[in-house]
């Protein structure tokens, strides 16, 4: 049986990926420190969906799922290298998917220490363990935010991304650099995934769809930055998970045609590859809000504001490499994704609405 470690397993993408891999027959161990960046009750609820009871969770201990023999959970912080080594030594994973990270562009301006500790030191610790214990394929979450000051759209992984505009973006770019170094030095297959504005059921409360839905239902105004003049390549969670699932099974082999004099940032002579996973169909922020209003049957009171530091005006994923390598392209329409999210939101927060 294929064994996979998923860090950040109590998170939005982590939860959905655990669920998918369990159903596909993988032996999955989820790891998460369950920090309080947002409501930990949501994180525990996700784990409960996977059969992990809150009362059974103890720090640095293995907790077996009550409903699935192929899933277990360990509460642990990837910053704790020695304890992480113990986990790798004991379970000998075939694959590792690193989704653990301090998220949020805006929060990185307020609390930069958290990003250095988790996204760089923690990431390095996971890489070291993958190298030491001969993991077959290391997959990690990067972000569309790495494109920073790039204006050429759609964003391509083959373009240079050396001008991030937030510490969060810089930490994700650092992950890509570290991963390539380990691929080159130790022949460790690594794949970085630049996710584009992921949304859907069980989503993060600090993301726009969650914030807007909650405020509109409560009759509170929503903050609309850059006066609504923004575009996002909103990507539905199931499309993200399908992409990750396919990529896990195909380790990069190294680009035999890689040119040292004209280096391609998305590949290498080493077993290293970067992919965008996005809907390839940017949506105007005002159209996004209108779709939420239509689904809720209620208009939003809008508070128009200037652009925030660290934010970008538009994101749009070029997914040609994803299509070429896996015959796959995310395609869930925004109205369908919003509908499914709001159904979940009303069910989950039923008593509060």
């Amino acid at each position: 049986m294929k064994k996979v470690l998923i860090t950040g397993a109590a998170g939005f993408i982590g939860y959905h990926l655990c669920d998918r891999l369990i159903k596909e027959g993988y032996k999955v161990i989820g790891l998460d420190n369950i920090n309080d960046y947002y409501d930990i009750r949501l994180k525990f609820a996700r784990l409960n969906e996977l059969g992990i009871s809150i009362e059974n969770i103890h720090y640095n201990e293995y907790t077996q799922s009550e409903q699935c023999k192929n899933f277990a959970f360990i509460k642990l912080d990837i910053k704790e290298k020695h304890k992480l080594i113990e986990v790798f030594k004991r379970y000998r994973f075939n694959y590792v998917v690193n989704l653990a990270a301090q998220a949020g562009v805006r929060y990185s301006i307020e609390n930069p220490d958290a990003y250095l500790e988790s996204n760089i030191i923690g990431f390095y610790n996971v890489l070291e363990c993958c190298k030491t214990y001969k993991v077959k394929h290391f997959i990690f979450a990067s972000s569309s935010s790495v494109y920073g000051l790039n204006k050429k759209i759609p964003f391509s992984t083959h373009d240079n991304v050396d001008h991030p505009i937030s510490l969060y973006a810089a930490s994700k770019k650092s992950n890509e650099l570290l991963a390539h170094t380990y691929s080159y030095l130790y022949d460790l297959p690594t794949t970085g995934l630049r996710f584009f504005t992921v949304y859907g059921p069980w989503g993060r409360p600090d993301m726009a769809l969650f914030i807007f839905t909650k405020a509109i239902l409560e009759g509170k105004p929503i903050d609309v930055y850059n006066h609504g003049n923004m575009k996002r390549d909103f990507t539905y969670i199931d499309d993200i998970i399908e992409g990750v699932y396919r990529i896990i099974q195909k380790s990069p082999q190294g680009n035999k045609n890689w040119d040292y004099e004209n280096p391609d940032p998305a590949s290498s002579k080493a077993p290293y590859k970067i992919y965008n996973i996005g809907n390839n169909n940017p949506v105007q922020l005002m159209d996004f809000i209108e779709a939420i209003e239509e689904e809720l049957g209620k208009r939003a009171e809008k508070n128009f504001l200037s652009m925030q530091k660290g934010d970008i005006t538009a994101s749009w994923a070029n997914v040609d490499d994803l299509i070429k390598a896996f015959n796959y392209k995310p395609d869930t329409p925004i109205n369908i994704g919003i509908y499914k999210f709001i159904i979940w939101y009303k069910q989950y927060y039923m008593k509060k609405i």
Side-chain angles (χ1 to χ4, degrees):
M1 182 177 290
K2 298 175 182 178
K3 287 191 289 185
V4 58
L5 172 69
I6 300 175
T7 71
F12 174 31
I13 300 174
Y15 154 70
H16 282 279
L17 184 60
C18 286
D19 186 53
R20 174 65 184 273
L21 292 181
I22 292 165
K23 291 174 180 176
E24 295 290 347
Y26 284 72
K27 170 69 174 179
V28 180
I29 292 182
L31 186 149
D32 202 297
N33 67 354
I34 316 181
N35 67 27
D36 61 358
Y37 170 64
Y38 61 80
D39 189 355
I40 63 171
R41 291 174 296 181
L42 179 58
K43 298 181 180 183
F44 282 128
R46 293 176 185 136
L47 290 174
N48 189 62
E49 290 289 307
L50 298 172
I52 303 295
S53 299
I54 298 173
E55 59 270 18
N56 293 334
I57 297 175
H58 302 285
Y59 199 77
N60 197 30
E61 290 187 12
Y62 178 97
T63 305
Q64 177 63 48
S65 169
E66 296 174 355
Q67 66 188 36
C68 178
K69 65 179 181 179
N70 288 345
F71 181 67
F73 177 75
I74 300 173
K75 184 180 180 183
L76 187 66
D77 197 314
I78 59 173
K79 293 182 296 184
E80 299 188 66
K81 186 176 182 180
H82 294 299
K83 292 179 180 177
L84 191 64
I85 288 172
E86 292 173 4
V87 172
F88 272 79
K89 184 176 181 180
R90 179 174 180 180
Y91 298 107
R92 306 284 174 157
F93 304 106
N94 303 112
Y95 310 99
V96 173
V97 184
N98 188 70
L99 302 173
Q102 179 56 61
V105 170
R106 293 162 190 165
Y107 187 61
S108 69
I109 296 172
E110 302 169 20
N111 188 8
D113 287 3
Y115 292 78
L116 294 172
E117 292 170 358
S118 179
N119 299 12
I120 296 179
I121 295 173
F123 184 84
Y124 155 76
N125 290 342
V126 177
L127 265 177
E128 270 287 295
C129 289
C130 288
K131 174 201 76 175
T132 302
Y133 293 97
K134 309 297 183 185
V135 167
K136 292 181 179 179
H137 190 189
F138 174 61
I139 305 95
F140 64 97
S142 187
S143 167
S144 60
S145 67
V146 301
Y147 288 102
L149 291 178
N150 288 29
K151 295 298 181 184
K152 176 188 170 186
I153 53 176
F155 291 144
S156 171
T157 57
H158 302 287
D159 292 335
N160 180 286
V161 288
D162 283 343
H163 299 88
I165 57 175
S166 71
L167 187 59
Y168 172 70
S171 72
K172 289 298 184 178
K173 170 64 175 176
S174 298
N175 289 172
E176 295 179 2
L177 294 171
L178 285 167
H180 178 265
T181 302
Y182 273 68
S183 292
Y184 183 81
L185 290 176
Y186 308 113
D187 203 32
L188 171 67
T190 67
T191 302
L193 308 177
R194 294 176 181 168
F195 297 140
F196 281 69
T197 317
V198 190
Y199 74 101
W202 297 99
R204 280 178 19 214
D206 62 322
M207 298 295 284
L209 178 55
F210 206 112
I211 292 169
F212 291 165
T213 299
K214 183 176 187 293
I216 294 170
L217 286 171
E218 294 176 353
K220 297 178 180 178
I222 62 173
D223 290 337
V224 182
Y225 292 102
N226 201 35
H227 303 280
N229 297 314
M230 303 208 307
K231 288 184 179 181
R232 287 292 181 271
D233 206 353
F234 295 101
T235 312
Y236 188 63
I237 183 62
D238 289 358
D239 291 341
I240 291 287
I241 298 305
E242 179 63 30
V244 176
Y245 174 69
R246 295 187 185 207
I247 288 166
I248 287 172
Q249 303 171 79
K250 186 176 180 180
S251 301
Q253 302 300 310
N255 182 358
K256 295 179 181 178
N257 298 317
W258 197 80
D259 186 351
Y260 289 95
E261 295 183 355
N262 186 27
D264 170 24
S267 65
S268 174
K269 286 286 187 182
Y272 167 86
K273 182 64 179 172
I274 298 290
Y275 291 102
N276 285 335
I277 306 186
N279 205 46
N280 190 231
N281 184 27
V283 175
Q284 286 281 358
L285 179 58
M286 296 307 296
D287 292 338
F288 180 69
I289 293 170
E290 184 177 335
I292 300 171
E293 292 173 325
E294 183 175 337
E295 192 57 48
L296 292 174
K298 190 174 182 181
R299 305 298 291 179
E301 179 185 344
K302 302 173 186 69
N303 181 26
F304 291 98
L305 300 170
S306 300
M307 192 76 163
Q308 283 200 319
K309 284 184 178 180
D311 224 340
I312 59 175
T313 56
S315 69
W316 181 0
N318 179 319
V319 292
D320 289 350
D321 282 4
L322 194 65
I323 295 169
K324 182 178 179 181
F326 300 97
N327 192 30
Y328 178 67
K329 176 184 178 296
D331 60 4
T332 301
I334 193 73
N335 61 315
I336 298 298
I338 288 174
Y339 165 76
K340 290 182 177 180
F341 170 81
I342 289 174
I343 291 295
W344 168 81
Y345 186 94
K346 288 182 175 180
Q347 290 174 343
Y348 183 75
Y349 290 102
M350 162 183 304
K351 296 178 182 178
K352 299 181 182 180
I353 296 175

